[in-house]
Amino acid sequence: MTASTWIILAIICGAVEIFTAGFWFLWLAIAGLVTAAGTSVGWLSSLQSQLLVFAIIALLLIIFTRPLVMKAIKSSDIASNIDALIGQHGVVLEPIAPMHFGQVKLNGEIWTAAAQSEIETGSTVVVRAIDGVKLIVEPVQ
């Protein structure tokens, strides 16, 4: 294969990477460019050597650099939906006791809540965890 064929293959892999963003085809595109460079300089004359270099470079890039890139681009997880309630304060509407659920108003919504100690109506509580659809709360000290 000629260097231009490897460049075309690299462009195609790059285009596929843009649409998939899984960081698999990026390494194939880079391996294709390296193979094209080796072919154009004359280091890789046979098809077997070109395919071998392409495969080795792609494999090495996938094994050693993909995990680093995935870790680097991973955005910090932002608590959303239900996990965003942890740490927020609410007001007890119905008393909460161990083994007896009460109700807490949090962000304008009423939630079933459980606690390890008794908490009276009107007390302010903080959400420590979520178990299914129940808030696990403690009194604010």
Side-chain angles (χ1 to χ4, degrees), residues 36-59:
T39 303
S40 67
V41 174
W43 293 340
L44 304 171
S45 56
S46 70
L47 179 61
Q48 291 82 9
S49 64
Q50 292 173 12
L51 292 175
L52 183 64
V53 167
F54 175 79
I56 290 172
I57 292 173
L59 188 64

PDB file of all heavy atoms in Angstrom, residues 36-59:
ATOM      1  N   ALA A  36       2.063   5.557   7.392  1.00  0.00           N
ATOM      2  CA  ALA A  36       2.211   6.352   6.166  1.00  0.00           C
ATOM      3  C   ALA A  36       3.573   7.037   6.139  1.00  0.00           C
ATOM      4  O   ALA A  36       4.227   7.077   5.082  1.00  0.00           O
ATOM      5  CB  ALA A  36       1.093   7.392   6.066  1.00  0.00           C
ATOM      6  N   ALA A  37       4.010   7.551   7.279  1.00  0.00           N
ATOM      7  CA  ALA A  37       5.324   8.196   7.335  1.00  0.00           C
ATOM      8  C   ALA A  37       6.432   7.190   7.055  1.00  0.00           C
ATOM      9  O   ALA A  37       7.362   7.468   6.290  1.00  0.00           O
ATOM     10  CB  ALA A  37       5.527   8.843   8.704  1.00  0.00           C
ATOM     11  N   GLY A  38       6.323   6.010   7.658  1.00  0.00           N
ATOM     12  CA  GLY A  38       7.329   4.972   7.410  1.00  0.00           C
ATOM     13  C   GLY A  38       7.340   4.494   5.976  1.00  0.00           C
ATOM     14  O   GLY A  38       8.393   4.196   5.405  1.00  0.00           O
ATOM     15  N   THR A  39       6.183   4.453   5.374  1.00  0.00           N
ATOM     16  CA  THR A  39       6.083   4.027   3.977  1.00  0.00           C
ATOM     17  C   THR A  39       6.663   5.088   3.042  1.00  0.00           C
ATOM     18  O   THR A  39       7.377   4.775   2.086  1.00  0.00           O
ATOM     19  CB  THR A  39       4.607   3.748   3.609  1.00  0.00           C
ATOM     20  OG1 THR A  39       4.090   2.757   4.506  1.00  0.00           O
ATOM     21  CG2 THR A  39       4.469   3.241   2.196  1.00  0.00           C
ATOM     22  N   SER A  40       6.360   6.345   3.308  1.00  0.00           N
ATOM     23  CA  SER A  40       6.841   7.412   2.419  1.00  0.00           C
ATOM     24  C   SER A  40       8.358   7.586   2.505  1.00  0.00           C
ATOM     25  O   SER A  40       8.989   7.952   1.524  1.00  0.00           O
ATOM     26  CB  SER A  40       6.139   8.731   2.742  1.00  0.00           C
ATOM     27  OG  SER A  40       6.522   9.178   4.024  1.00  0.00           O
ATOM     28  N   VAL A  41       8.956   7.311   3.659  1.00  0.00           N
ATOM     29  CA  VAL A  41      10.405   7.421   3.820  1.00  0.00           C
ATOM     30  C   VAL A  41      11.109   6.215   3.210  1.00  0.00           C
ATOM     31  O   VAL A  41      12.280   6.289   2.846  1.00  0.00           O
ATOM     32  CB  VAL A  41      10.759   7.574   5.325  1.00  0.00           C
ATOM     33  CG1 VAL A  41      12.258   7.534   5.557  1.00  0.00           C
ATOM     34  CG2 VAL A  41      10.177   8.839   5.885  1.00  0.00           C
ATOM     35  N   GLY A  42      10.388   5.121   3.091  1.00  0.00           N
ATOM     36  CA  GLY A  42      10.971   3.928   2.492  1.00  0.00           C
ATOM     37  C   GLY A  42      11.353   2.851   3.494  1.00  0.00           C
ATOM     38  O   GLY A  42      11.927   1.828   3.133  1.00  0.00           O
ATOM     39  N   TRP A  43      11.042   3.072   4.775  1.00  0.00           N
ATOM     40  CA  TRP A  43      11.363   2.075   5.790  1.00  0.00           C
ATOM     41  C   TRP A  43      10.460   0.852   5.696  1.00  0.00           C
ATOM     42  O   TRP A  43      10.865  -0.247   6.034  1.00  0.00           O
ATOM     43  CB  TRP A  43      11.226   2.665   7.184  1.00  0.00           C
ATOM     44  CG  TRP A  43      12.236   3.722   7.510  1.00  0.00           C
ATOM     45  CD1 TRP A  43      13.439   3.926   6.896  1.00  0.00           C
ATOM     46  CD2 TRP A  43      12.123   4.710   8.506  1.00  0.00           C
ATOM     47  NE1 TRP A  43      14.094   4.983   7.465  1.00  0.00           N
ATOM     48  CE2 TRP A  43      13.292   5.497   8.470  1.00  0.00           C
ATOM     49  CE3 TRP A  43      11.148   5.037   9.443  1.00  0.00           C
ATOM     50  CZ2 TRP A  43      13.520   6.567   9.322  1.00  0.00           C
ATOM     51  CZ3 TRP A  43      11.386   6.095  10.295  1.00  0.00           C
ATOM     52  CH2 TRP A  43      12.550   6.853  10.232  1.00  0.00           C
ATOM     53  N   LEU A  44       9.235   1.058   5.245  1.00  0.00           N
ATOM     54  CA  LEU A  44       8.265  -0.029   5.163  1.00  0.00           C
ATOM     55  C   LEU A  44       7.895  -0.238   3.702  1.00  0.00           C
ATOM     56  O   LEU A  44       7.069   0.474   3.150  1.00  0.00           O
ATOM     57  CB  LEU A  44       7.015   0.311   5.984  1.00  0.00           C
ATOM     58  CG  LEU A  44       7.241   0.650   7.458  1.00  0.00           C
ATOM     59  CD1 LEU A  44       5.971   1.181   8.082  1.00  0.00           C
ATOM     60  CD2 LEU A  44       7.747  -0.566   8.206  1.00  0.00           C
ATOM     61  N   SER A  45       8.511  -1.230   3.089  1.00  0.00           N
ATOM     62  CA  SER A  45       8.256  -1.423   1.664  1.00  0.00           C
ATOM     63  C   SER A  45       7.233  -2.522   1.408  1.00  0.00           C
ATOM     64  O   SER A  45       6.437  -2.420   0.479  1.00  0.00           O
ATOM     65  CB  SER A  45       9.560  -1.737   0.926  1.00  0.00           C
ATOM     66  OG  SER A  45      10.183  -2.868   1.515  1.00  0.00           O
ATOM     67  N   SER A  46       7.212  -3.555   2.226  1.00  0.00           N
ATOM     68  CA  SER A  46       6.276  -4.655   1.963  1.00  0.00           C
ATOM     69  C   SER A  46       4.971  -4.441   2.725  1.00  0.00           C
ATOM     70  O   SER A  46       4.935  -3.786   3.768  1.00  0.00           O
ATOM     71  CB  SER A  46       6.903  -5.992   2.374  1.00  0.00           C
ATOM     72  OG  SER A  46       6.994  -6.067   3.786  1.00  0.00           O
ATOM     73  N   LEU A  47       3.907  -5.001   2.197  1.00  0.00           N
ATOM     74  CA  LEU A  47       2.597  -4.903   2.830  1.00  0.00           C
ATOM     75  C   LEU A  47       2.618  -5.557   4.211  1.00  0.00           C
ATOM     76  O   LEU A  47       2.020  -5.040   5.156  1.00  0.00           O
ATOM     77  CB  LEU A  47       1.519  -5.547   1.942  1.00  0.00           C
ATOM     78  CG  LEU A  47       0.101  -5.534   2.508  1.00  0.00           C
ATOM     79  CD1 LEU A  47      -0.375  -4.101   2.727  1.00  0.00           C
ATOM     80  CD2 LEU A  47      -0.848  -6.282   1.594  1.00  0.00           C
ATOM     81  N   GLN A  48       3.331  -6.674   4.335  1.00  0.00           N
ATOM     82  CA  GLN A  48       3.401  -7.374   5.614  1.00  0.00           C
ATOM     83  C   GLN A  48       4.050  -6.484   6.686  1.00  0.00           C
ATOM     84  O   GLN A  48       3.569  -6.412   7.820  1.00  0.00           O
ATOM     85  CB  GLN A  48       4.195  -8.693   5.503  1.00  0.00           C
ATOM     86  CG  GLN A  48       3.501  -9.764   4.704  1.00  0.00           C
ATOM     87  CD  GLN A  48       3.695  -9.588   3.190  1.00  0.00           C
ATOM     88  OE1 GLN A  48       4.480  -8.762   2.736  1.00  0.00           O
ATOM     89  NE2 GLN A  48       2.936 -10.360   2.415  1.00  0.00           N
ATOM     90  N   SER A  49       5.125  -5.804   6.365  1.00  0.00           N
ATOM     91  CA  SER A  49       5.784  -4.930   7.335  1.00  0.00           C
ATOM     92  C   SER A  49       4.894  -3.735   7.680  1.00  0.00           C
ATOM     93  O   SER A  49       4.851  -3.297   8.828  1.00  0.00           O
ATOM     94  CB  SER A  49       7.145  -4.468   6.818  1.00  0.00           C
ATOM     95  OG  SER A  49       7.001  -3.677   5.651  1.00  0.00           O
ATOM     96  N   GLN A  50       4.181  -3.221   6.698  1.00  0.00           N
ATOM     97  CA  GLN A  50       3.273  -2.098   6.954  1.00  0.00           C
ATOM     98  C   GLN A  50       2.155  -2.517   7.913  1.00  0.00           C
ATOM     99  O   GLN A  50       1.850  -1.807   8.877  1.00  0.00           O
ATOM    100  CB  GLN A  50       2.674  -1.586   5.646  1.00  0.00           C
ATOM    101  CG  GLN A  50       3.675  -0.921   4.740  1.00  0.00           C
ATOM    102  CD  GLN A  50       3.086  -0.577   3.386  1.00  0.00           C
ATOM    103  OE1 GLN A  50       1.870  -0.625   3.185  1.00  0.00           O
ATOM    104  NE2 GLN A  50       3.950  -0.232   2.437  1.00  0.00           N
ATOM    105  N   LEU A  51       1.546  -3.670   7.641  1.00  0.00           N
ATOM    106  CA  LEU A  51       0.458  -4.153   8.497  1.00  0.00           C
ATOM    107  C   LEU A  51       0.965  -4.472   9.907  1.00  0.00           C
ATOM    108  O   LEU A  51       0.278  -4.198  10.896  1.00  0.00           O
ATOM    109  CB  LEU A  51      -0.211  -5.376   7.885  1.00  0.00           C
ATOM    110  CG  LEU A  51      -1.008  -5.122   6.605  1.00  0.00           C
ATOM    111  CD1 LEU A  51      -1.517  -6.438   6.017  1.00  0.00           C
ATOM    112  CD2 LEU A  51      -2.170  -4.180   6.882  1.00  0.00           C
ATOM    113  N   LEU A  52       2.169  -5.030   9.992  1.00  0.00           N
ATOM    114  CA  LEU A  52       2.743  -5.359  11.287  1.00  0.00           C
ATOM    115  C   LEU A  52       3.007  -4.092  12.106  1.00  0.00           C
ATOM    116  O   LEU A  52       2.648  -4.017  13.287  1.00  0.00           O
ATOM    117  CB  LEU A  52       4.034  -6.163  11.108  1.00  0.00           C
ATOM    118  CG  LEU A  52       4.708  -6.632  12.393  1.00  0.00           C
ATOM    119  CD1 LEU A  52       3.812  -7.613  13.132  1.00  0.00           C
ATOM    120  CD2 LEU A  52       6.046  -7.261  12.070  1.00  0.00           C
ATOM    121  N   VAL A  53       3.596  -3.094  11.487  1.00  0.00           N
ATOM    122  CA  VAL A  53       3.860  -1.832  12.189  1.00  0.00           C
ATOM    123  C   VAL A  53       2.549  -1.165  12.593  1.00  0.00           C
ATOM    124  O   VAL A  53       2.402  -0.680  13.724  1.00  0.00           O
ATOM    125  CB  VAL A  53       4.721  -0.894  11.308  1.00  0.00           C
ATOM    126  CG1 VAL A  53       4.745   0.523  11.864  1.00  0.00           C
ATOM    127  CG2 VAL A  53       6.126  -1.445  11.186  1.00  0.00           C
ATOM    128  N   PHE A  54       1.579  -1.150  11.691  1.00  0.00           N
ATOM    129  CA  PHE A  54       0.272  -0.569  11.996  1.00  0.00           C
ATOM    130  C   PHE A  54      -0.354  -1.261  13.197  1.00  0.00           C
ATOM    131  O   PHE A  54      -0.817  -0.605  14.144  1.00  0.00           O
ATOM    132  CB  PHE A  54      -0.653  -0.670  10.772  1.00  0.00           C
ATOM    133  CG  PHE A  54      -2.055  -0.201  11.030  1.00  0.00           C
ATOM    134  CD1 PHE A  54      -2.351   1.154  11.047  1.00  0.00           C
ATOM    135  CD2 PHE A  54      -3.081  -1.105  11.254  1.00  0.00           C
ATOM    136  CE1 PHE A  54      -3.639   1.593  11.289  1.00  0.00           C
ATOM    137  CE2 PHE A  54      -4.372  -0.675  11.493  1.00  0.00           C
ATOM    138  CZ  PHE A  54      -4.652   0.673  11.504  1.00  0.00           C
ATOM    139  N   ALA A  55      -0.359  -2.581  13.193  1.00  0.00           N
ATOM    140  CA  ALA A  55      -0.987  -3.344  14.278  1.00  0.00           C
ATOM    141  C   ALA A  55      -0.259  -3.131  15.602  1.00  0.00           C
ATOM    142  O   ALA A  55      -0.893  -2.937  16.642  1.00  0.00           O
ATOM    143  CB  ALA A  55      -1.024  -4.826  13.921  1.00  0.00           C
ATOM    144  N   ILE A  56       1.059  -3.153  15.575  1.00  0.00           N
ATOM    145  CA  ILE A  56       1.833  -2.991  16.812  1.00  0.00           C
ATOM    146  C   ILE A  56       1.639  -1.608  17.405  1.00  0.00           C
ATOM    147  O   ILE A  56       1.402  -1.450  18.605  1.00  0.00           O
ATOM    148  CB  ILE A  56       3.324  -3.299  16.569  1.00  0.00           C
ATOM    149  CG1 ILE A  56       3.514  -4.796  16.321  1.00  0.00           C
ATOM    150  CG2 ILE A  56       4.180  -2.840  17.741  1.00  0.00           C
ATOM    151  CD1 ILE A  56       4.912  -5.181  15.884  1.00  0.00           C
ATOM    152  N   ILE A  57       1.717  -0.586  16.561  1.00  0.00           N
ATOM    153  CA  ILE A  57       1.546   0.782  17.063  1.00  0.00           C
ATOM    154  C   ILE A  57       0.141   0.993  17.608  1.00  0.00           C
ATOM    155  O   ILE A  57      -0.039   1.564  18.688  1.00  0.00           O
ATOM    156  CB  ILE A  57       1.893   1.813  15.973  1.00  0.00           C
ATOM    157  CG1 ILE A  57       3.393   1.765  15.693  1.00  0.00           C
ATOM    158  CG2 ILE A  57       1.459   3.214  16.382  1.00  0.00           C
ATOM    159  CD1 ILE A  57       3.828   2.606  14.535  1.00  0.00           C
ATOM    160  N   ALA A  58      -0.866   0.516  16.875  1.00  0.00           N
ATOM    161  CA  ALA A  58      -2.246   0.669  17.341  1.00  0.00           C
ATOM    162  C   ALA A  58      -2.446  -0.052  18.673  1.00  0.00           C
ATOM    163  O   ALA A  58      -3.045   0.499  19.608  1.00  0.00           O
ATOM    164  CB  ALA A  58      -3.220   0.139  16.293  1.00  0.00           C
ATOM    165  N   LEU A  59      -1.932  -1.267  18.785  1.00  0.00           N
ATOM    166  CA  LEU A  59      -2.080  -2.039  20.010  1.00  0.00           C
ATOM    167  C   LEU A  59      -1.375  -1.362  21.185  1.00  0.00           C
ATOM    168  O   LEU A  59      -1.944  -1.239  22.281  1.00  0.00           O
ATOM    169  CB  LEU A  59      -1.530  -3.455  19.801  1.00  0.00           C
ATOM    170  CG  LEU A  59      -1.781  -4.447  20.927  1.00  0.00           C
ATOM    171  CD1 LEU A  59      -3.274  -4.691  21.080  1.00  0.00           C
ATOM    172  CD2 LEU A  59      -1.067  -5.755  20.622  1.00  0.00           C
TER     173      LEU A  59
END
